[in-house]
Amino acid sequence: LDKNFEPENPTELQDLTDEHCKWPLGEKMQPSNLFCGRKALEKFSYCKLHVLYAFQPKNAKEEDIITEEDIPQFIEKKIKSA
């Protein structure tokens, strides 16, 4: 982030508007009382930073490539015997 990036503005739920980033602050899997509060990007519920966290592109290597380790041995035996 560049040094002029807007700082977080912790905002409580009841004070959020459409203009605020609604990224919850705090620990994962814990209820949050505060939200980021920066200016949200147009058509998003999040600021620029949290849009980057929320919408990550899929990694083709992780999802599209099947290795021998992915195929259980009993299926591999069935394939070879067919």
Side-chain angles (χ1 to χ4, degrees):
L1 297 176
D2 90 30
K3 64 181 181 176
N4 297 322
F5 193 77
E6 179 184 359
E8 270 183 0
N9 180 23
T11 306
E12 292 184 352
L13 178 62
Q14 66 269 15
D15 297 326
L16 289 175
T17 67
D18 290 341
E19 301 292 317
H20 289 105
C21 174
K22 294 164 186 72
W23 189 268
L25 300 178
E27 298 297 318
K28 287 183 180 179
M29 307 306 290
Q30 297 295 319
S32 179
N33 295 323
L34 294 174
F35 298 83
C36 171
R38 289 184 184 107
K39 182 170 175 36
L41 292 177
E42 188 176 333
K43 298 183 182 181
F44 288 96
S45 296
Y46 304 128
C47 66
K48 185 176 182 178
L49 173 65
H50 292 125
V51 164
L52 293 173
Y53 287 153
F55 301 100
Q56 295 183 10
K58 291 182 180 180
N59 184 344
K61 290 181 182 177
E62 289 178 16
E63 297 211 0
D64 296 337
I65 297 174
I66 298 174
T67 65
E68 287 184 22
E69 293 173 3
D70 295 328
I71 302 173
Q73 288 183 349
F74 73 91
I75 292 177
E76 190 174 314
K77 290 177 183 176
K78 292 232 180 234
I79 293 170
K80 287 180 182 177
S81 68

